[in-house]
Amino acid sequence: MPEGARRVAIGPDDLVATGLVEPGRTEEIRRVAAEYAVALTQDVADLVDRADPADPIASQFVPTAAELITTPEERPDPIGDERWSPVPGIVHRYLDRVLLKPTLLCPVYCRFCFRREVVGKKGAMLDHAALERAFDYIRQRPQIWEVIVTGGDPFLLAPRRIADIVRTLDQVPHLGVIRFHTRVPVVDPRLVSCALVQALAAEKAVYVVIHANHPRELAPKAREAVFKLTRAGIPLLSQTVLLRGVNDDAAVLEALFRRLVAMRVKPYYLHHADLARGTAHFRTGIATGQRLVRSLRGRVSGLCQPTYVLDIPGGYGKVPIAPCAVTPDGSSGGWIVEDGAGVQHAYPGDPGGKEG
Ligand SMILES: *Cc1c(COP(=O)(O)O)cnc(C)c1O
Ligand code: SF4
Protein backbone atom coordinates (compact mmCIF):
# COMPACT_ATOMS: atom_id res chain seq x y z
CA MET A 1 0.00 0.00 0.00
CA PRO A 2 1.43 3.43 -0.86
CA GLU A 3 2.56 5.73 1.94
CA GLY A 4 -0.34 7.84 3.17
CA ALA A 5 -2.93 5.24 2.16
CA ARG A 6 -2.59 3.34 5.44
CA ARG A 7 -5.79 2.37 7.13
CA VAL A 8 -6.83 4.85 9.76
CA ALA A 9 -8.90 3.49 12.60
CA ILE A 10 -10.81 6.17 14.46
CA GLY A 11 -10.99 5.19 18.12
CA PRO A 12 -12.83 6.75 21.08
CA ASP A 13 -10.07 9.30 21.72
CA ASP A 14 -10.13 10.57 18.13
CA LEU A 15 -13.84 11.32 17.89
CA VAL A 16 -13.55 14.91 19.10
CA ALA A 17 -10.48 15.63 16.96
CA THR A 18 -12.27 14.37 13.85
CA GLY A 19 -15.23 16.64 14.62
CA LEU A 20 -17.64 13.72 14.94
CA VAL A 21 -18.32 14.56 18.59
CA GLU A 22 -18.51 17.92 20.35
CA PRO A 23 -15.72 18.48 22.92
CA GLY A 24 -18.24 18.52 25.80
CA ARG A 25 -18.99 14.83 25.25
CA THR A 26 -15.51 13.44 25.95
CA GLU A 27 -16.52 12.02 29.32
CA GLU A 28 -19.66 10.40 27.90
CA ILE A 29 -17.63 8.70 25.15
CA ARG A 30 -15.07 7.52 27.69
CA ARG A 31 -17.80 5.89 29.81
CA VAL A 32 -19.33 4.06 26.84
CA ALA A 33 -15.89 2.97 25.57
CA ALA A 34 -15.17 1.44 29.00
CA GLU A 35 -18.10 -0.95 28.39
CA TYR A 36 -18.17 -1.54 24.63
CA ALA A 37 -15.65 -1.37 21.80
CA VAL A 38 -15.64 1.87 19.82
CA ALA A 39 -14.14 2.34 16.35
CA LEU A 40 -14.98 3.52 12.91
CA THR A 41 -13.08 3.98 9.68
CA GLN A 42 -12.19 7.10 7.73
CA ASP A 43 -14.49 5.89 4.93
CA VAL A 44 -17.44 5.82 7.32
CA ALA A 45 -16.49 9.19 8.86
CA ASP A 46 -16.48 10.67 5.34
CA LEU A 47 -20.11 9.60 4.87
CA VAL A 48 -21.34 11.43 7.96
CA ASP A 49 -23.39 14.57 7.39
CA ARG A 50 -22.06 16.71 10.23
CA ALA A 51 -24.87 19.22 9.83
CA ASP A 52 -27.45 16.58 10.74
CA PRO A 53 -27.63 15.84 14.49
CA ALA A 54 -29.60 12.65 13.73
CA ASP A 55 -27.39 11.50 10.86
CA PRO A 56 -28.19 7.82 10.13
CA ILE A 57 -24.53 6.97 9.50
CA ALA A 58 -23.16 8.69 12.62
CA SER A 59 -25.84 7.21 14.85
CA GLN A 60 -24.79 3.67 13.89
CA PHE A 61 -21.15 4.16 14.93
CA VAL A 62 -20.71 7.16 17.25
CA PRO A 63 -21.37 6.20 20.90
CA THR A 64 -23.99 7.96 23.00
CA ALA A 65 -24.95 7.94 26.68
CA ALA A 66 -28.15 6.04 25.76
CA GLU A 67 -25.99 2.90 25.54
CA LEU A 68 -25.37 3.08 29.27
CA ILE A 69 -29.04 2.36 29.95
CA THR A 70 -29.86 -1.34 30.12
CA THR A 71 -33.52 -2.32 30.12
CA PRO A 72 -34.81 -5.41 31.99
CA GLU A 73 -35.48 -7.43 28.84
CA GLU A 74 -31.96 -6.93 27.46
CA ARG A 75 -29.36 -9.68 27.73
CA PRO A 76 -25.59 -9.99 27.45
CA ASP A 77 -25.94 -12.89 24.96
CA PRO A 78 -29.21 -11.99 23.20
CA ILE A 79 -29.29 -14.83 20.67
CA GLY A 80 -27.79 -17.52 22.89
CA ASP A 81 -24.51 -18.12 21.01
CA GLU A 82 -22.83 -19.33 24.20
CA ARG A 83 -25.36 -22.08 24.76
CA TRP A 84 -24.64 -23.64 21.36
CA SER A 85 -20.86 -23.31 21.37
CA PRO A 86 -19.30 -26.79 21.74
CA VAL A 87 -15.71 -25.57 21.16
CA PRO A 88 -14.26 -22.05 21.01
CA GLY A 89 -15.00 -20.31 17.72
CA ILE A 90 -17.89 -22.62 16.74
CA VAL A 91 -21.64 -22.05 17.22
CA HIS A 92 -23.69 -25.10 16.23
CA ARG A 93 -27.38 -24.36 16.64
CA TYR A 94 -28.81 -25.86 13.43
CA LEU A 95 -28.10 -29.41 12.32
CA ASP A 96 -26.68 -28.66 8.87
CA ARG A 97 -24.64 -25.52 9.47
CA VAL A 98 -22.23 -23.94 11.93
CA LEU A 99 -20.80 -20.52 12.57
CA LEU A 100 -17.01 -20.29 12.57
CA LYS A 101 -15.66 -17.17 14.29
CA PRO A 102 -11.92 -16.86 13.61
CA THR A 103 -11.84 -13.28 14.95
CA LEU A 104 -14.03 -11.06 17.08
CA LEU A 105 -12.45 -7.86 15.77
CA CYS A 106 -14.32 -5.51 13.42
CA PRO A 107 -13.22 -2.47 11.40
CA VAL A 108 -16.12 -0.55 12.96
CA TYR A 109 -18.19 -1.24 16.04
CA CYS A 110 -21.90 -0.85 15.39
CA ARG A 111 -23.59 0.63 18.46
CA PHE A 112 -26.45 -1.90 18.17
CA CYS A 113 -24.24 -4.98 17.69
CA PHE A 114 -25.83 -8.21 18.94
CA ARG A 115 -22.36 -9.48 19.93
CA ARG A 116 -21.28 -6.22 21.55
CA GLU A 117 -20.29 -7.94 24.79
CA VAL A 118 -17.59 -9.95 23.01
CA VAL A 119 -16.47 -8.05 19.90
CA GLY A 120 -13.26 -6.04 20.06
CA LYS A 121 -12.26 -7.40 23.46
CA LYS A 122 -9.30 -9.41 24.70
CA GLY A 123 -8.88 -12.90 23.23
CA ALA A 124 -10.60 -11.72 20.09
CA MET A 125 -8.57 -13.95 17.76
CA LEU A 126 -8.71 -17.76 17.67
CA ASP A 127 -5.12 -18.99 17.93
CA HIS A 128 -3.79 -21.67 15.61
CA ALA A 129 -4.57 -24.57 17.97
CA ALA A 130 -8.13 -23.36 18.61
CA LEU A 131 -8.75 -22.90 14.88
CA GLU A 132 -7.51 -26.47 14.27
CA ARG A 133 -9.91 -27.77 16.93
CA ALA A 134 -12.75 -25.88 15.25
CA PHE A 135 -11.82 -27.45 11.88
CA ASP A 136 -11.72 -30.90 13.53
CA TYR A 137 -15.20 -30.33 14.91
CA ILE A 138 -16.42 -29.63 11.36
CA ARG A 139 -14.48 -32.51 9.75
CA GLN A 140 -15.88 -35.02 12.25
CA ARG A 141 -19.56 -34.18 11.60
CA PRO A 142 -20.87 -35.17 8.17
CA GLN A 143 -24.24 -33.55 8.90
CA ILE A 144 -22.56 -30.14 8.58
CA TRP A 145 -23.20 -28.93 5.04
CA GLU A 146 -22.41 -25.23 5.40
CA VAL A 147 -19.87 -23.19 7.35
CA ILE A 148 -20.68 -19.54 7.98
CA VAL A 149 -17.44 -17.68 8.63
CA THR A 150 -18.37 -14.69 10.77
CA GLY A 151 -17.10 -12.92 13.87
CA GLY A 152 -16.29 -10.12 14.36
CA ASP A 153 -15.46 -9.57 10.73
CA PRO A 154 -13.54 -12.33 8.94
CA PHE A 155 -12.52 -9.99 6.08
CA LEU A 156 -10.34 -8.17 8.59
CA LEU A 157 -7.98 -11.18 8.52
CA ALA A 158 -4.97 -11.11 6.21
CA PRO A 159 -5.87 -12.57 2.79
CA ARG A 160 -3.33 -15.35 3.43
CA ARG A 161 -5.26 -16.42 6.53
CA ILE A 162 -8.60 -16.22 4.72
CA ALA A 163 -7.11 -18.39 1.96
CA ASP A 164 -6.02 -20.95 4.58
CA ILE A 165 -9.56 -21.12 5.98
CA VAL A 166 -11.14 -21.43 2.53
CA ARG A 167 -8.65 -24.08 1.42
CA THR A 168 -9.15 -26.11 4.60
CA LEU A 169 -12.95 -26.00 4.35
CA ASP A 170 -12.83 -26.69 0.60
CA GLN A 171 -11.16 -30.02 1.41
CA VAL A 172 -13.92 -31.21 3.74
CA PRO A 173 -15.94 -33.59 1.54
CA HIS A 174 -19.33 -33.20 3.24
CA LEU A 175 -19.38 -29.39 2.98
CA GLY A 176 -21.37 -27.86 0.14
CA VAL A 177 -21.16 -24.17 0.95
CA ILE A 178 -18.75 -21.72 2.59
CA ARG A 179 -20.42 -18.45 3.52
CA PHE A 180 -18.74 -15.27 4.76
CA HIS A 181 -20.59 -12.59 6.75
CA THR A 182 -18.83 -9.22 6.56
CA ARG A 183 -19.25 -5.46 6.81
CA VAL A 184 -15.82 -4.75 5.28
CA PRO A 185 -16.93 -4.03 1.67
CA VAL A 186 -19.18 -1.27 3.04
CA VAL A 187 -17.14 0.21 5.89
CA ASP A 188 -13.52 -0.45 4.84
CA PRO A 189 -13.76 -1.10 1.10
CA ARG A 190 -10.05 -0.83 0.35
CA LEU A 191 -9.53 -4.10 2.24
CA VAL A 192 -11.28 -5.85 -0.64
CA SER A 193 -8.01 -6.35 -2.48
CA CYS A 194 -7.20 -8.67 -5.37
CA ALA A 195 -5.51 -10.94 -2.82
CA LEU A 196 -8.70 -11.11 -0.77
CA VAL A 197 -10.81 -11.91 -3.83
CA GLN A 198 -8.31 -14.63 -4.83
CA ALA A 199 -8.42 -16.05 -1.31
CA LEU A 200 -12.12 -16.78 -1.80
CA ALA A 201 -11.56 -18.95 -4.87
CA ALA A 202 -12.66 -22.54 -4.20
CA GLU A 203 -14.20 -25.62 -5.76
CA LYS A 204 -17.16 -25.34 -3.41
CA ALA A 205 -19.66 -22.51 -3.55
CA VAL A 206 -18.44 -19.46 -1.62
CA TYR A 207 -21.15 -16.92 -0.78
CA VAL A 208 -20.56 -13.48 0.72
CA VAL A 209 -23.22 -11.75 2.80
CA ILE A 210 -22.65 -8.04 3.39
CA HIS A 211 -24.19 -5.99 6.19
CA ALA A 212 -25.70 -2.65 5.08
CA ASN A 213 -28.39 -0.60 6.78
CA HIS A 214 -28.73 2.67 4.90
CA PRO A 215 -28.53 3.54 1.17
CA ARG A 216 -25.86 6.18 1.88
CA GLU A 217 -23.52 3.41 3.06
CA LEU A 218 -23.37 2.21 -0.54
CA ALA A 219 -21.05 4.97 -1.70
CA PRO A 220 -18.87 4.62 -4.85
CA LYS A 221 -15.96 2.93 -3.01
CA ALA A 222 -18.26 0.36 -1.45
CA ARG A 223 -19.89 -0.32 -4.79
CA GLU A 224 -16.47 -0.80 -6.37
CA ALA A 225 -15.50 -3.28 -3.62
CA VAL A 226 -18.72 -5.21 -4.15
CA PHE A 227 -18.13 -5.22 -7.89
CA LYS A 228 -14.71 -6.85 -7.38
CA LEU A 229 -16.48 -9.71 -5.64
CA THR A 230 -19.39 -10.11 -8.07
CA ARG A 231 -17.01 -9.89 -11.04
CA ALA A 232 -15.15 -12.87 -9.58
CA GLY A 233 -18.41 -14.83 -9.78
CA ILE A 234 -19.13 -14.78 -6.06
CA PRO A 235 -22.85 -14.67 -5.24
CA LEU A 236 -23.63 -11.76 -2.92
CA LEU A 237 -26.43 -11.38 -0.40
CA SER A 238 -27.09 -8.72 2.20
CA GLN A 239 -28.42 -8.41 5.69
CA THR A 240 -29.92 -5.31 7.24
CA VAL A 241 -30.80 -4.59 10.84
CA LEU A 242 -34.03 -2.66 11.31
CA LEU A 243 -32.99 0.39 13.36
CA ARG A 244 -35.02 3.22 14.78
CA GLY A 245 -33.87 6.57 13.39
CA VAL A 246 -31.70 4.88 10.75
CA ASN A 247 -33.90 2.87 8.41
CA ASP A 248 -37.35 2.52 10.03
CA ASP A 249 -38.84 4.24 7.00
CA ALA A 250 -40.29 2.63 3.88
CA ALA A 251 -38.58 5.05 1.50
CA VAL A 252 -35.16 4.46 3.10
CA LEU A 253 -35.55 0.67 3.00
CA GLU A 254 -36.80 0.86 -0.57
CA ALA A 255 -33.78 2.91 -1.66
CA LEU A 256 -31.42 0.55 0.20
CA PHE A 257 -32.82 -2.65 -1.29
CA ARG A 258 -33.11 -1.23 -4.81
CA ARG A 259 -29.52 -0.05 -4.69
CA LEU A 260 -28.31 -3.43 -3.41
CA VAL A 261 -30.16 -5.36 -6.11
CA ALA A 262 -28.82 -3.00 -8.78
CA MET A 263 -25.33 -3.85 -7.43
CA ARG A 264 -26.10 -7.59 -7.91
CA VAL A 265 -26.61 -8.10 -4.19
CA LYS A 266 -29.76 -9.98 -3.17
CA PRO A 267 -31.30 -8.70 0.10
CA TYR A 268 -31.43 -11.82 2.28
CA TYR A 269 -32.50 -10.89 5.81
CA LEU A 270 -34.03 -7.85 7.46
CA HIS A 271 -33.26 -8.52 11.12
CA HIS A 272 -35.46 -7.31 13.91
CA ALA A 273 -32.97 -5.66 16.31
CA ASP A 274 -31.78 -8.06 19.03
CA LEU A 275 -32.13 -7.45 22.78
CA ALA A 276 -28.46 -6.51 23.23
CA ARG A 277 -27.68 -4.44 26.32
CA GLY A 278 -27.92 -0.67 25.89
CA THR A 279 -29.66 -0.74 22.51
CA ALA A 280 -33.30 0.07 23.38
CA HIS A 281 -33.00 3.42 21.57
CA PHE A 282 -32.41 1.51 18.31
CA ARG A 283 -35.27 -0.94 18.55
CA THR A 284 -38.65 -0.59 16.87
CA GLY A 285 -41.67 -2.69 17.73
CA ILE A 286 -42.41 -5.77 15.65
CA ALA A 287 -45.64 -4.08 14.48
CA THR A 288 -43.54 -1.28 12.96
CA GLY A 289 -41.38 -3.82 11.15
CA GLN A 290 -44.45 -5.60 9.84
CA ARG A 291 -45.96 -2.34 8.60
CA LEU A 292 -42.74 -1.49 6.74
CA VAL A 293 -42.43 -4.95 5.20
CA ARG A 294 -46.06 -4.88 4.11
CA SER A 295 -45.68 -1.50 2.44
CA LEU A 296 -42.57 -2.66 0.55
CA ARG A 297 -44.36 -5.75 -0.70
CA GLY A 298 -46.79 -3.77 -2.80
CA ARG A 299 -44.45 -1.24 -4.30
CA VAL A 300 -41.03 -2.84 -4.84
CA SER A 301 -39.75 -5.72 -7.00
CA GLY A 302 -39.74 -9.14 -5.40
CA LEU A 303 -35.96 -9.17 -5.80
CA CYS A 304 -35.84 -6.33 -3.26
CA GLN A 305 -37.75 -8.21 -0.52
CA PRO A 306 -35.59 -9.71 2.23
CA THR A 307 -37.12 -12.05 4.78
CA TYR A 308 -37.97 -10.16 7.98
CA VAL A 309 -36.63 -12.34 10.81
CA LEU A 310 -36.35 -12.41 14.58
CA ASP A 311 -33.66 -14.38 16.35
CA ILE A 312 -35.64 -15.66 19.33
CA PRO A 313 -33.91 -14.55 22.55
CA GLY A 314 -32.22 -17.40 24.36
CA GLY A 315 -30.90 -19.28 21.33
CA TYR A 316 -34.07 -20.71 19.81
CA GLY A 317 -33.14 -19.68 16.29
CA LYS A 318 -34.35 -17.32 13.57
CA VAL A 319 -37.97 -17.23 12.49
CA PRO A 320 -39.75 -15.19 9.82
CA ILE A 321 -42.04 -12.57 11.38
CA ALA A 322 -43.48 -10.79 8.35
CA PRO A 323 -47.24 -10.43 8.40
CA CYS A 324 -48.92 -13.50 6.96
CA ALA A 325 -51.43 -12.89 4.15
CA VAL A 326 -53.35 -16.11 4.68
CA THR A 327 -55.56 -17.28 7.57
CA PRO A 328 -57.70 -20.42 7.85
CA ASP A 329 -61.41 -19.84 7.29
CA GLY A 330 -62.99 -22.01 9.96
CA SER A 331 -66.48 -21.97 8.47
CA SER A 332 -65.58 -23.18 4.96
CA GLY A 333 -62.48 -25.26 5.68
CA GLY A 334 -60.70 -23.00 3.20
CA TRP A 335 -58.60 -19.88 3.55
CA ILE A 336 -58.92 -16.12 3.59
CA VAL A 337 -56.18 -14.35 1.66
CA GLU A 338 -55.51 -10.64 1.92
CA ASP A 339 -54.21 -8.82 -1.16
CA GLY A 340 -51.80 -5.88 -1.25
CA ALA A 341 -54.65 -3.37 -0.88
CA GLY A 342 -55.98 -5.11 2.23
CA VAL A 343 -58.96 -6.67 0.46
CA GLN A 344 -59.84 -10.21 1.54
CA HIS A 345 -60.46 -13.11 -0.86
CA ALA A 346 -61.65 -16.65 -0.27
CA TYR A 347 -59.38 -19.49 -1.35
CA PRO A 348 -60.62 -23.11 -1.36
CA GLY A 349 -59.29 -25.75 1.02
CA ASP A 350 -57.63 -29.01 0.03
CA PRO A 351 -59.82 -30.88 -2.52
CA GLY A 352 -59.90 -33.97 -0.34
CA GLY A 353 -61.13 -31.89 2.59
CA LYS A 354 -58.29 -33.29 4.72
CA GLU A 355 -56.29 -30.10 5.14
CA GLY A 356 -55.51 -28.58 8.53
C1 LIG B 1 -28.05 -16.90 11.87
C2 LIG B 1 -27.36 -18.15 12.18
C3 LIG B 1 -27.10 -19.10 11.18
C4 LIG B 1 -27.46 -18.87 9.74
O1 LIG B 1 -28.82 -18.98 9.56
P1 LIG B 1 -29.43 -18.92 8.07
O2 LIG B 1 -30.88 -18.84 8.34
O3 LIG B 1 -28.98 -20.17 7.39
O4 LIG B 1 -28.86 -17.71 7.43
C5 LIG B 1 -26.49 -20.27 11.53
N1 LIG B 1 -26.15 -20.53 12.81
C6 LIG B 1 -26.41 -19.66 13.78
C7 LIG B 1 -26.00 -20.00 15.16
C8 LIG B 1 -27.01 -18.43 13.50
O5 LIG B 1 -27.23 -17.55 14.49
S1 SF4 C 1 -19.84 -5.41 11.95
FE1 SF4 C 1 -21.26 -6.97 12.79
S2 SF4 C 1 -20.10 -8.01 14.41
FE2 SF4 C 1 -19.01 -6.10 13.94
S3 SF4 C 1 -19.83 -4.58 15.37
FE3 SF4 C 1 -21.10 -4.41 13.51
S4 SF4 C 1 -22.84 -5.80 13.90
FE4 SF4 C 1 -21.22 -6.33 15.38
Side-chain angles (χ1 to χ4, degrees):
M1 232 180 257
E3 201 63 42
R6 284 207 334 272
R7 293 183 52 238
V8 192
I10 300 174
D13 301 333
D14 314 315
L15 288 171
V16 171
T18 53
L20 288 166
V21 161
E22 315 79 75
R25 290 180 52 206
T26 310
E27 176 58 19
E28 174 185 345
I29 301 295
R30 201 190 55 73
R31 281 169 60 212
V32 177
E35 287 276 323
Y36 306 109
V38 174
L40 54 129
T41 57
Q42 188 58 53
D43 288 287
V44 165
D46 291 345
L47 297 177
V48 171
D49 174 1
R50 285 144 203 258
D52 179 0
D55 179 66
I57 308 295
S59 57
Q60 291 184 66
F61 305 105
V62 176
T64 62
E67 294 173 49
L68 298 168
I69 302 162
T70 298
T71 62
E73 66 274 16
E74 291 176 345
R75 315 164 171 231
D77 180 12
I79 68 167
D81 277 351
E82 198 53 47
R83 181 177 161 201
W84 296 107
S85 182
V87 297
I90 292 276
V91 182
H92 194 180
R93 177 190 291 144
Y94 304 105
L95 197 62
D96 78 330
R97 57 209 190 277
V98 295
L99 306 185
L100 170 64
K101 300 192 268 190
T103 177
L104 290 171
L105 299 177
C106 292
V108 292
Y109 291 101
C110 310
R111 305 326 304 160
F112 48 85
C113 176
F114 63 128
R115 297 203 176 107
R116 62 192 327 227
E117 310 279 340
V118 291
V119 292
K121 308 230 162 137
K122 280 208 179 68
M125 295 283 261
L126 274 196
D127 62 24
H128 182 76
L131 192 57
E132 274 310 311
R133 275 193 295 278
F135 287 142
D136 283 339
Y137 182 90
I138 294 164
R139 285 190 198 102
Q140 288 158 8
R141 286 168 180 77
Q143 72 271 28
I144 300 174
W145 173 78
E146 180 177 17
V147 174
I148 298 154
V149 189
T150 178
D153 198 316
F155 278 11
L156 211 48
L157 299 173
R160 176 181 44 80
R161 299 205 48 211
I162 297 174
D164 286 345
I165 291 171
V166 170
R167 217 172 302 130
T168 303
L169 296 175
D170 205 22
Q171 283 162 13
V172 180
H174 53 264
L175 291 183
V177 174
I178 304 164
R179 185 193 332 170
F180 283 85
H181 282 187
T182 178
R183 203 148 166 48
V184 158
V186 171
V187 298
D188 207 352
R190 78 195 84 183
L191 284 183
V192 183
S193 58
C194 293
L196 170 63
V197 175
Q198 276 163 21
L200 301 174
E203 288 282 311
K204 296 188 196 293
V206 174
Y207 281 68
V208 171
V209 183
I210 63 170
H211 171 181
N213 300 327
H214 192 279
R216 270 180 36 221
E217 291 171 39
L218 305 172
K221 282 190 210 166
R223 299 156 77 116
E224 211 176 289
V226 165
F227 189 44
K228 281 188 190 161
L229 295 164
T230 56
R231 202 169 40 201
I234 298 168
L236 259 76
L237 306 170
S238 65
Q239 29 189 1
T240 296
V241 184
L242 179 60
L243 297 168
R244 180 140 58 102
V246 174
N247 60 16
D248 59 338
D249 177 283
V252 170
L253 289 177
E254 174 178 341
L256 172 66
F257 299 143
R258 281 194 198 279
R259 198 170 283 193
L260 284 164
V261 169
M263 290 164 61
R264 304 183 174 83
V265 179
K266 169 73 187 94
Y268 175 51
Y269 279 154
L270 173 65
H271 292 273
H272 192 75
D274 292 311
L275 297 174
R277 287 199 304 137
T279 64
H281 54 297
F282 281 118
R283 286 197 297 278
T284 68
I286 286 180
T288 299
Q290 291 187 323
R291 182 181 50 77
L292 290 166
V293 165
R294 193 193 301 258
S295 83
L296 281 180
R297 189 75 240 176
R299 59 192 235 189
V300 186
S301 162
L303 285 175
C304 303
Q305 315 279 343
T307 305
Y308 178 37
V309 291
L310 172 71
D311 217 314
I312 304 171
Y316 301 96
K318 291 182 191 68
V319 286
I321 57 168
C324 183
V326 63
T327 44
D329 177 5
S331 56
S332 72
W335 300 89
I336 296 168
V337 193
E338 197 176 298
D339 68 23
V343 179
Q344 297 191 335
H345 306 268
Y347 187 85
D350 160 32
K354 295 250 161 56
E355 203 167 60

